[in-house]
Amino acid sequence: MIVRARRVVLPEGERPAAVHVEDGRITALTAFDDAPDDATTLEDDEVLLPGLVDSHVHVNEPGRTEWEGFASATRAAAAGGITTIVDMPLNSIPPTTSRAGLAAKRAVAQGQVSVDVAFWGGAVPGNAGELRPMLEAGVVGFKCFLLDSGVPEFPPLDDAGLRTALAELAAVDGLLIAHCEDEETIAAAPDPTGRSYAGFLASRPPAAEETAIARLVAAAADTGARVHVVHLADGGALPLLRRARADGVRITVETCPHYLTFAADEVPDGDTAFKCCPPIREAAHREALWQALADGDVDLVVSDHSPCTPALKRLDVGDFGLAWGGIAGLQVTLPAVWTGARARGMALTRVVELMSAAPAALAGLSAKGAIAVGRDADLVAFAPDATATVGRLQHKNPVTPYAGRELTGVVRRVWLRGEVLDGGPPRGRLLDRDPSARVRG
Protein backbone atom coordinates (compact mmCIF):
# COMPACT_ATOMS: atom_id res chain seq x y z
CA MET A 1 0.00 0.00 0.00
CA ILE A 2 1.31 3.46 -0.90
CA VAL A 3 -0.11 6.82 0.15
CA ARG A 4 1.32 9.98 -1.30
CA ALA A 5 0.68 13.68 -0.88
CA ARG A 6 2.13 17.02 -1.94
CA ARG A 7 2.34 17.87 1.76
CA VAL A 8 3.50 15.19 4.20
CA VAL A 9 4.48 16.06 7.78
CA LEU A 10 7.69 14.17 8.55
CA PRO A 11 9.94 14.43 11.63
CA GLU A 12 12.34 16.69 9.72
CA GLY A 13 9.60 18.92 8.29
CA GLU A 14 6.99 19.03 5.55
CA ARG A 15 7.57 17.97 1.93
CA PRO A 16 6.00 15.99 -0.92
CA ALA A 17 6.45 12.27 -0.38
CA ALA A 18 5.14 8.77 -1.00
CA VAL A 19 4.72 6.57 2.06
CA HIS A 20 5.23 2.87 1.37
CA VAL A 21 3.55 0.39 3.71
CA GLU A 22 3.89 -3.35 4.17
CA ASP A 23 2.38 -5.49 6.94
CA GLY A 24 1.19 -2.39 8.76
CA ARG A 25 4.59 -0.71 9.01
CA ILE A 26 6.19 2.08 6.98
CA THR A 27 8.93 0.51 4.85
CA ALA A 28 10.09 3.46 2.74
CA LEU A 29 9.64 7.18 2.12
CA THR A 30 10.26 8.22 -1.45
CA ALA A 31 9.62 11.15 -3.77
CA PHE A 32 6.01 11.95 -4.62
CA ASP A 33 6.48 10.72 -8.19
CA ASP A 34 8.22 7.52 -7.11
CA ALA A 35 4.97 5.58 -6.81
CA PRO A 36 2.79 3.48 -9.15
CA ASP A 37 -0.38 4.82 -10.73
CA ASP A 38 -2.58 2.93 -8.28
CA ALA A 39 -1.07 4.66 -5.21
CA THR A 40 -3.57 6.48 -3.01
CA THR A 41 -3.09 10.18 -3.70
CA LEU A 42 -4.40 12.85 -1.37
CA GLU A 43 -6.33 15.83 -2.70
CA ASP A 44 -4.45 19.06 -3.25
CA ASP A 45 -6.01 20.65 -0.14
CA GLU A 46 -5.03 17.75 2.14
CA VAL A 47 -1.94 17.16 4.27
CA LEU A 48 -0.78 13.70 5.34
CA LEU A 49 -0.15 13.61 9.09
CA PRO A 50 0.95 10.85 11.44
CA GLY A 51 -1.92 9.53 13.52
CA LEU A 52 -2.30 11.53 16.72
CA VAL A 53 -1.55 10.03 20.12
CA ASP A 54 -3.78 11.13 23.01
CA SER A 55 -2.16 10.14 26.28
CA HIS A 56 -4.96 11.46 28.50
CA VAL A 57 -8.34 9.79 27.94
CA HIS A 58 -10.83 8.65 30.58
CA VAL A 59 -12.68 5.70 29.05
CA ASN A 60 -14.38 4.71 32.37
CA GLU A 61 -15.07 1.08 31.39
CA PRO A 62 -15.72 -1.22 33.25
CA GLY A 63 -17.84 0.12 36.08
CA ARG A 64 -18.95 3.48 34.69
CA THR A 65 -19.50 2.50 31.07
CA GLU A 66 -22.63 4.64 30.95
CA TRP A 67 -20.22 7.63 31.06
CA GLU A 68 -18.02 6.36 28.21
CA GLY A 69 -16.78 3.00 26.93
CA PHE A 70 -14.01 1.61 24.77
CA ALA A 71 -16.23 1.19 21.70
CA SER A 72 -17.59 4.74 21.70
CA ALA A 73 -14.38 6.45 22.83
CA THR A 74 -12.22 4.79 20.20
CA ARG A 75 -14.75 5.49 17.43
CA ALA A 76 -14.65 9.15 18.42
CA ALA A 77 -10.85 9.08 18.49
CA ALA A 78 -10.69 7.59 15.01
CA ALA A 79 -13.09 10.22 13.66
CA GLY A 80 -10.77 12.90 15.04
CA GLY A 81 -7.53 11.53 13.57
CA ILE A 82 -6.36 9.97 16.84
CA THR A 83 -5.01 6.47 16.21
CA THR A 84 -3.70 5.74 19.71
CA ILE A 85 -5.12 6.60 23.12
CA VAL A 86 -3.78 5.94 26.60
CA ASP A 87 -6.54 5.16 29.07
CA MET A 88 -6.53 6.76 32.52
CA PRO A 89 -6.68 4.44 35.54
CA LEU A 90 -9.59 6.05 37.38
CA ASN A 91 -13.34 6.40 36.97
CA SER A 92 -13.49 2.74 36.00
CA ILE A 93 -14.38 0.14 38.62
CA PRO A 94 -12.06 -1.47 39.45
CA PRO A 95 -9.46 1.23 38.95
CA THR A 96 -6.15 0.25 37.34
CA THR A 97 -4.24 0.20 40.62
CA SER A 98 -3.18 -3.46 40.57
CA ARG A 99 -2.34 -6.17 38.07
CA ALA A 100 -5.84 -7.55 38.62
CA GLY A 101 -7.37 -4.17 37.80
CA LEU A 102 -5.26 -3.94 34.64
CA ALA A 103 -6.33 -7.45 33.62
CA ALA A 104 -10.00 -6.50 34.08
CA LYS A 105 -9.54 -3.38 31.95
CA ARG A 106 -7.74 -5.26 29.17
CA ALA A 107 -10.32 -8.05 29.18
CA VAL A 108 -13.23 -5.68 28.61
CA ALA A 109 -11.36 -3.62 25.99
CA GLN A 110 -10.28 -6.62 23.93
CA GLY A 111 -12.10 -6.85 20.62
CA GLN A 112 -14.02 -3.56 20.79
CA VAL A 113 -11.37 -0.87 20.18
CA SER A 114 -11.27 0.98 16.86
CA VAL A 115 -7.81 2.46 17.53
CA ASP A 116 -4.82 1.23 19.50
CA VAL A 117 -5.03 1.55 23.28
CA ALA A 118 -2.38 1.62 26.00
CA PHE A 119 -2.96 1.97 29.73
CA TRP A 120 -1.79 4.08 32.64
CA GLY A 121 -1.63 2.48 36.05
CA GLY A 122 -2.63 4.30 39.21
CA ALA A 123 -0.53 5.23 42.25
CA VAL A 124 -2.69 5.38 45.38
CA PRO A 125 -2.01 4.97 49.10
CA GLY A 126 -0.78 1.47 49.93
CA ASN A 127 -0.10 0.15 46.42
CA ALA A 128 3.63 0.90 46.06
CA GLY A 129 4.25 -2.85 45.90
CA GLU A 130 2.05 -3.08 42.80
CA LEU A 131 3.92 -0.49 40.76
CA ARG A 132 6.75 -2.63 39.40
CA PRO A 133 4.47 -5.60 38.68
CA MET A 134 2.13 -3.31 36.73
CA LEU A 135 5.07 -1.91 34.74
CA GLU A 136 6.11 -5.47 33.93
CA ALA A 137 2.52 -6.15 32.85
CA GLY A 138 2.69 -3.30 30.32
CA VAL A 139 1.36 -0.04 31.79
CA VAL A 140 3.13 3.04 30.45
CA GLY A 141 3.43 4.78 33.81
CA PHE A 142 1.31 5.85 36.77
CA LYS A 143 -1.23 8.56 37.50
CA CYS A 144 -1.72 10.07 40.94
CA PHE A 145 -3.80 12.83 42.48
CA LEU A 146 -2.49 15.34 45.01
CA LEU A 147 -6.04 16.06 46.20
CA ASP A 148 -9.39 14.25 46.25
CA SER A 149 -9.96 12.70 42.82
CA GLY A 150 -13.75 12.83 43.05
CA VAL A 151 -14.13 9.05 43.19
CA PRO A 152 -13.59 7.12 46.45
CA GLU A 153 -11.80 4.16 44.89
CA PHE A 154 -8.88 6.38 43.75
CA PRO A 155 -7.65 8.33 46.83
CA PRO A 156 -4.88 10.93 46.65
CA LEU A 157 -1.25 10.65 47.75
CA ASP A 158 0.00 12.75 50.63
CA ASP A 159 3.64 13.89 50.61
CA ALA A 160 4.88 10.69 52.25
CA GLY A 161 2.94 8.53 49.81
CA LEU A 162 4.15 10.62 46.87
CA ARG A 163 7.76 10.16 47.86
CA THR A 164 7.29 6.44 48.43
CA ALA A 165 5.85 6.02 44.95
CA LEU A 166 8.57 8.16 43.37
CA ALA A 167 11.35 6.26 45.12
CA GLU A 168 9.90 2.98 43.85
CA LEU A 169 9.63 4.31 40.29
CA ALA A 170 13.03 6.03 40.27
CA ALA A 171 14.68 2.64 40.75
CA VAL A 172 13.24 1.44 37.40
CA ASP A 173 13.00 4.80 35.60
CA GLY A 174 9.21 4.66 35.74
CA LEU A 175 7.07 7.74 35.14
CA LEU A 176 4.57 9.36 37.52
CA ILE A 177 2.01 11.79 36.11
CA ALA A 178 0.19 13.98 38.59
CA HIS A 179 -3.03 15.97 38.92
CA CYS A 180 -1.59 19.05 40.61
CA GLU A 181 -4.04 20.99 42.73
CA ASP A 182 -3.53 21.59 46.44
CA GLU A 183 -6.29 20.49 48.84
CA GLU A 184 -5.54 23.06 51.54
CA THR A 185 -5.49 25.98 49.12
CA ILE A 186 -8.86 24.95 47.71
CA ALA A 187 -10.30 24.37 51.19
CA ALA A 188 -9.46 27.99 52.06
CA ALA A 189 -11.15 29.32 48.90
CA PRO A 190 -14.90 30.08 48.58
CA ASP A 191 -17.23 27.12 48.05
CA PRO A 192 -18.29 26.57 44.41
CA THR A 193 -22.05 26.90 44.60
CA GLY A 194 -24.64 28.17 42.17
CA ARG A 195 -24.69 29.16 38.52
CA SER A 196 -21.89 31.73 38.58
CA TYR A 197 -18.82 30.65 36.62
CA ALA A 198 -16.81 33.40 38.30
CA GLY A 199 -17.74 31.82 41.63
CA PHE A 200 -16.55 28.41 40.49
CA LEU A 201 -13.30 29.90 39.17
CA ALA A 202 -12.64 31.55 42.53
CA SER A 203 -13.06 28.19 44.26
CA ARG A 204 -9.98 26.75 42.50
CA PRO A 205 -7.43 29.59 42.36
CA PRO A 206 -4.14 29.48 40.43
CA ALA A 207 -2.26 29.13 43.71
CA ALA A 208 -3.73 25.63 44.07
CA GLU A 209 -1.90 24.52 40.92
CA GLU A 210 1.33 26.31 41.83
CA THR A 211 1.47 24.92 45.37
CA ALA A 212 0.88 21.35 44.20
CA ILE A 213 3.41 21.62 41.37
CA ALA A 214 5.97 22.91 43.88
CA ARG A 215 5.32 19.82 46.02
CA LEU A 216 5.80 17.56 43.01
CA VAL A 217 9.00 19.35 41.97
CA ALA A 218 10.48 19.03 45.48
CA ALA A 219 9.67 15.31 45.66
CA ALA A 220 11.06 14.68 42.18
CA ALA A 221 14.26 16.59 42.98
CA ASP A 222 14.77 14.55 46.14
CA THR A 223 14.14 11.17 44.52
CA GLY A 224 15.48 11.71 40.98
CA ALA A 225 12.27 10.31 39.52
CA ARG A 226 10.61 11.29 36.26
CA VAL A 227 7.38 13.26 36.72
CA HIS A 228 4.80 14.89 34.48
CA VAL A 229 2.17 17.55 35.21
CA VAL A 230 -1.17 16.84 33.58
CA HIS A 231 -3.66 19.45 32.26
CA LEU A 232 -1.87 22.68 33.17
CA ALA A 233 -4.33 25.60 33.19
CA ASP A 234 -2.33 28.18 35.14
CA GLY A 235 0.12 30.31 33.18
CA GLY A 236 1.55 31.50 36.48
CA ALA A 237 3.11 28.08 37.08
CA LEU A 238 5.37 28.32 34.02
CA PRO A 239 8.30 30.12 35.74
CA LEU A 240 8.30 27.43 38.46
CA LEU A 241 8.46 24.70 35.83
CA ARG A 242 11.26 26.48 33.94
CA ARG A 243 13.32 26.81 37.12
CA ALA A 244 12.79 23.15 37.96
CA ARG A 245 14.08 22.07 34.57
CA ALA A 246 17.04 24.41 34.82
CA ASP A 247 17.84 22.76 38.15
CA GLY A 248 17.84 19.32 36.53
CA VAL A 249 14.44 18.08 37.69
CA ARG A 250 13.08 15.55 35.19
CA ILE A 251 9.67 17.11 34.66
CA THR A 252 7.41 17.52 31.64
CA VAL A 253 4.01 19.17 31.32
CA GLU A 254 0.92 19.05 29.15
CA THR A 255 -2.04 21.29 28.51
CA CYS A 256 -5.39 20.66 26.86
CA PRO A 257 -7.47 22.05 23.99
CA HIS A 258 -10.11 23.57 26.29
CA TYR A 259 -7.50 25.69 28.07
CA LEU A 260 -6.22 26.84 24.66
CA THR A 261 -9.67 27.50 23.17
CA PHE A 262 -11.89 29.02 25.84
CA ALA A 263 -11.50 31.81 28.40
CA ALA A 264 -13.33 32.35 31.67
CA ASP A 265 -15.12 35.50 30.59
CA GLU A 266 -16.65 33.59 27.65
CA VAL A 267 -18.20 30.86 29.82
CA PRO A 268 -21.93 31.47 30.32
CA ASP A 269 -23.27 31.25 33.84
CA GLY A 270 -25.05 27.94 34.33
CA ASP A 271 -23.33 26.20 31.39
CA THR A 272 -21.78 23.35 33.31
CA ALA A 273 -20.54 21.66 30.12
CA PHE A 274 -17.52 23.95 30.68
CA LYS A 275 -16.76 22.66 34.19
CA CYS A 276 -13.38 20.98 34.57
CA CYS A 277 -10.65 20.86 37.20
CA PRO A 278 -8.44 22.79 37.15
CA PRO A 279 -10.84 25.31 35.64
CA ILE A 280 -10.74 27.20 32.37
CA ARG A 281 -9.05 30.43 33.45
CA GLU A 282 -8.89 33.98 32.12
CA ALA A 283 -7.61 34.81 28.62
CA ALA A 284 -4.19 35.84 29.96
CA HIS A 285 -3.61 32.24 31.09
CA ARG A 286 -4.70 30.92 27.70
CA GLU A 287 -2.27 33.18 25.88
CA ALA A 288 0.55 32.29 28.28
CA LEU A 289 -0.02 28.61 27.53
CA TRP A 290 0.10 29.27 23.78
CA GLN A 291 3.38 31.13 24.21
CA ALA A 292 4.74 28.27 26.32
CA LEU A 293 3.90 25.83 23.53
CA ALA A 294 5.76 28.01 21.05
CA ASP A 295 8.75 28.33 23.40
CA GLY A 296 8.90 24.65 24.34
CA ASP A 297 7.97 25.20 27.99
CA VAL A 298 4.87 22.99 27.57
CA ASP A 299 5.65 19.64 25.97
CA LEU A 300 2.39 18.27 24.62
CA VAL A 301 -1.33 18.81 24.07
CA VAL A 302 -3.83 16.06 24.91
CA SER A 303 -7.58 16.01 25.37
CA ASP A 304 -8.19 15.04 29.02
CA HIS A 305 -11.44 13.63 27.62
CA SER A 306 -13.47 13.13 30.81
CA PRO A 307 -17.16 12.70 30.00
CA CYS A 308 -20.10 11.74 32.16
CA THR A 309 -23.84 11.34 31.73
CA PRO A 310 -25.90 14.50 31.09
CA ALA A 311 -27.58 14.05 34.47
CA LEU A 312 -24.23 14.31 36.28
CA LYS A 313 -23.46 17.56 34.46
CA ARG A 314 -26.54 19.06 36.17
CA LEU A 315 -27.53 21.07 33.14
CA ASP A 316 -31.02 21.09 34.63
CA VAL A 317 -29.97 23.53 37.35
CA GLY A 318 -26.62 24.78 36.01
CA ASP A 319 -24.98 24.52 39.43
CA PHE A 320 -21.18 24.44 39.13
CA GLY A 321 -20.88 23.12 42.67
CA LEU A 322 -23.01 20.05 41.94
CA ALA A 323 -21.87 19.22 38.39
CA TRP A 324 -19.24 16.62 37.53
CA GLY A 325 -16.04 18.26 36.34
CA GLY A 326 -14.70 17.10 33.00
CA ILE A 327 -14.64 18.17 29.34
CA ALA A 328 -15.80 15.86 26.56
CA GLY A 329 -13.80 16.74 23.47
CA LEU A 330 -11.80 13.77 22.21
CA GLN A 331 -13.11 13.89 18.64
CA VAL A 332 -12.46 17.62 18.14
CA THR A 333 -9.00 17.83 19.70
CA LEU A 334 -7.12 18.32 16.43
CA PRO A 335 -9.35 20.99 14.84
CA ALA A 336 -9.72 22.82 18.16
CA VAL A 337 -5.96 23.09 18.59
CA TRP A 338 -5.28 23.81 14.93
CA THR A 339 -7.88 26.60 14.91
CA GLY A 340 -6.03 28.37 17.71
CA ALA A 341 -2.56 27.55 16.41
CA ARG A 342 -3.29 28.82 12.92
CA ALA A 343 -4.68 32.08 14.27
CA ARG A 344 -1.42 32.60 16.20
CA GLY A 345 0.95 31.69 13.38
CA MET A 346 2.01 28.30 14.72
CA ALA A 347 2.98 25.82 12.01
CA LEU A 348 1.12 22.57 11.47
CA THR A 349 4.42 20.71 11.92
CA ARG A 350 4.63 22.04 15.49
CA VAL A 351 1.05 21.04 16.23
CA VAL A 352 1.84 17.51 15.03
CA GLU A 353 4.91 17.37 17.25
CA LEU A 354 2.84 18.42 20.26
CA MET A 355 -0.04 16.03 19.55
CA SER A 356 1.67 12.97 18.08
CA ALA A 357 5.43 12.69 18.60
CA ALA A 358 5.52 14.13 22.13
CA PRO A 359 2.66 12.08 23.65
CA ALA A 360 4.04 8.91 22.03
CA ALA A 361 7.45 9.58 23.57
CA LEU A 362 5.93 10.37 26.98
CA ALA A 363 4.11 7.04 27.00
CA GLY A 364 7.05 5.07 25.59
CA LEU A 365 5.17 4.01 22.45
CA SER A 366 8.10 3.81 20.06
CA ALA A 367 6.10 2.57 17.05
CA LYS A 368 3.85 5.64 17.16
CA GLY A 369 4.14 9.38 16.69
CA ALA A 370 5.78 9.90 13.30
CA ILE A 371 5.73 9.08 9.61
CA ALA A 372 9.09 7.31 9.56
CA VAL A 373 10.50 4.01 8.36
CA GLY A 374 9.79 1.27 10.88
CA ARG A 375 6.87 3.05 12.54
CA ASP A 376 3.27 1.90 12.40
CA ALA A 377 1.50 3.19 9.30
CA ASP A 378 -0.97 5.33 11.27
CA LEU A 379 -1.87 8.15 8.90
CA VAL A 380 -4.38 10.99 8.66
CA ALA A 381 -5.60 12.92 5.61
CA PHE A 382 -6.25 16.37 7.05
CA ALA A 383 -7.69 19.39 5.24
CA PRO A 384 -6.21 22.32 7.21
CA ASP A 385 -8.15 25.07 5.43
CA ALA A 386 -11.60 23.45 5.53
CA THR A 387 -14.07 24.42 8.24
CA ALA A 388 -16.85 22.56 10.01
CA THR A 389 -19.34 23.26 12.76
CA VAL A 390 -19.28 20.87 15.70
CA GLY A 391 -22.46 18.82 15.72
CA ARG A 392 -23.27 15.55 17.45
CA LEU A 393 -20.09 13.65 18.21
CA GLN A 394 -19.43 9.93 18.53
CA HIS A 395 -18.81 10.14 22.27
CA LYS A 396 -21.34 8.12 24.25
CA ASN A 397 -22.69 11.31 25.83
CA PRO A 398 -22.94 14.39 23.58
CA VAL A 399 -22.51 17.13 26.22
CA THR A 400 -19.55 19.29 25.16
CA PRO A 401 -18.67 22.99 25.28
CA TYR A 402 -17.59 22.74 21.62
CA ALA A 403 -21.17 22.20 20.42
CA GLY A 404 -22.05 24.60 17.62
CA ARG A 405 -18.54 26.04 17.40
CA GLU A 406 -16.97 26.48 13.96
CA LEU A 407 -13.47 24.97 13.83
CA THR A 408 -10.84 25.01 11.13
CA GLY A 409 -9.39 21.72 9.91
CA VAL A 410 -11.25 18.59 8.86
CA VAL A 411 -10.13 14.96 9.19
CA ARG A 412 -11.07 13.26 5.92
CA ARG A 413 -9.51 9.80 6.14
CA VAL A 414 -7.61 7.75 8.72
CA TRP A 415 -5.41 4.67 8.39
CA LEU A 416 -4.46 2.41 11.30
CA ARG A 417 -1.40 0.29 10.47
CA GLY A 418 -2.14 0.83 6.78
CA GLU A 419 -5.85 -0.04 6.88
CA VAL A 420 -8.51 2.61 6.32
CA LEU A 421 -10.77 3.09 9.33
CA ASP A 422 -14.14 3.07 7.63
CA GLY A 423 -16.50 2.19 10.45
CA GLY A 424 -16.09 -1.56 9.98
CA PRO A 425 -15.15 -4.11 12.64
CA PRO A 426 -12.79 -2.79 15.35
CA ARG A 427 -9.13 -3.13 14.32
CA GLY A 428 -7.37 -1.63 17.30
CA ARG A 429 -4.84 -3.44 19.46
CA LEU A 430 -3.97 -3.26 23.14
CA LEU A 431 -0.44 -1.94 23.58
CA ASP A 432 2.32 -2.29 26.14
CA ARG A 433 4.98 0.32 26.83
CA ASP A 434 8.23 -0.32 25.00
CA PRO A 435 10.84 -0.36 27.80
CA SER A 436 13.56 0.63 25.31
CA ALA A 437 11.71 3.76 24.13
CA ARG A 438 13.42 7.12 24.39
CA VAL A 439 12.85 8.84 27.72
CA ARG A 440 11.47 12.38 27.81
CA GLY A 441 12.20 14.76 30.62
Side-chain angles (χ1 to χ4, degrees):
M1 195 271 290
I2 300 172
V3 181
R4 64 179 183 171
R6 295 292 180 187
R7 296 177 63 189
V8 181
V9 174
L10 303 170
E12 64 272 19
E14 184 184 298
R15 63 175 173 86
V19 181
H20 299 247
V21 177
E22 187 174 340
D23 295 330
R25 291 287 179 108
I26 298 170
T27 56
L29 297 169
T30 63
F32 177 87
D33 292 327
D34 187 11
D37 292 340
D38 62 352
T40 298
T41 303
L42 267 59
E43 300 294 333
D44 288 344
D45 68 336
E46 295 175 341
V47 184
L48 190 65
L49 313 180
L52 301 189
V53 178
D54 191 335
S55 57
H56 195 145
V57 179
H58 294 268
V59 176
N60 307 327
E61 186 178 13
R64 292 188 176 95
T65 311
E66 68 275 14
W67 296 16
E68 187 69 279
F70 282 103
S72 51
T74 57
R75 283 196 302 268
I82 298 164
T83 52
T84 303
I85 67 169
V86 189
D87 173 60
M88 280 291 163
L90 74 157
N91 299 344
S92 57
I93 302 173
T96 315
T97 54
S98 64
R99 287 191 68 149
L102 175 62
K105 183 75 68 92
R106 292 178 69 98
V108 75
Q110 188 69 49
Q112 63 165 330
V113 295
S114 295
V115 301
D116 288 352
V117 179
F119 300 91
W120 293 107
V124 296
N127 84 326
E130 287 278 1
L131 302 185
R132 292 198 203 189
M134 277 194 283
L135 273 179
E136 293 166 359
V139 302
V140 302
F142 297 91
K143 169 76 174 287
C144 76
F145 274 69
L146 300 184
L147 82 171
D148 180 21
S149 72
V151 292
E153 66 275 2
F154 203 96
L157 295 177
D158 60 16
D159 278 347
L162 175 63
R163 289 166 184 266
T164 296
L166 288 177
E168 187 74 13
L169 292 174
V172 291
D173 200 33
L175 173 66
L176 185 77
I177 69 174
H179 181 125
C180 291
E181 289 183 284
D182 181 67
E183 193 95 63
E184 291 185 6
T185 304
I186 290 174
D191 289 335
T193 58
R195 295 174 55 85
S196 167
Y197 185 76
F200 170 64
L201 186 61
S203 76
R204 301 185 91 96
E209 290 189 73
E210 293 159 28
T211 301
I213 290 171
R215 289 171 54 202
L216 182 68
V217 166
D222 290 345
T223 59
R226 287 193 296 136
V227 296
H228 176 78
V229 176
V230 299
H231 51 49
L232 182 70
D234 170 34
L238 292 165
L240 168 62
L241 290 161
R242 282 193 291 266
R243 287 194 301 271
R245 286 170 161 168
D247 292 340
V249 177
R250 304 169 72 198
I251 188 166
T252 51
V253 60
E254 71 189 40
T255 193
C256 304
H258 39 281
Y259 301 129
L260 300 170
T261 300
F262 305 112
D265 60 0
E266 302 167 0
V267 177
D269 286 347
D271 195 343
T272 50
F274 286 86
K275 181 180 177 179
C276 58
C277 300
I280 294 164
R281 301 197 184 279
E282 297 87 350
H285 291 274
R286 178 183 64 194
E287 298 311 314
L289 292 172
W290 274 113
Q291 189 61 51
L293 290 170
D295 295 342
D297 291 327
V298 172
D299 301 273
L300 55 145
V301 180
V302 287
S303 70
D304 188 12
H305 178 66
S306 186
C308 66
T309 61
L312 288 173
K313 269 297 184 185
R314 296 311 306 266
L315 296 170
D316 55 338
V317 293
D319 190 319
F320 282 96
L322 298 177
W324 175 261
I327 300 289
L330 180 62
Q331 188 173 329
V332 299
T333 299
L334 175 56
V337 175
W338 173 236
T339 299
R342 188 176 191 238
R344 292 166 177 83
M346 181 180 286
L348 184 57
T349 51
R350 177 60 176 155
V351 170
V352 168
E353 181 182 9
L354 292 165
M355 302 184 72
S356 185
L362 179 82
L365 301 174
S366 58
K368 305 296 184 180
I371 298 176
V373 172
R375 302 289 184 105
D376 286 351
D378 299 344
L379 308 170
V380 178
F382 181 63
D385 299 323
T387 61
T389 299
V390 178
R392 185 176 177 89
L393 303 171
Q394 298 199 40
H395 312 148
K396 179 166 287 189
N397 293 293
V399 178
T400 178
Y402 294 99
R405 193 176 186 93
E406 184 176 85
L407 299 176
T408 301
V410 173
V411 172
R412 295 218 177 122
R413 203 169 357 170
V414 179
W415 294 261
L416 179 67
R417 291 185 306 279
E419 295 188 57
V420 174
L421 296 181
D422 54 6
R427 297 172 183 163
R429 297 177 181 173
L430 306 185
L431 306 178
D432 295 333
R433 174 183 178 271
D434 179 356
S436 66
R438 181 174 66 87
V439 170
R440 288 181 64 83

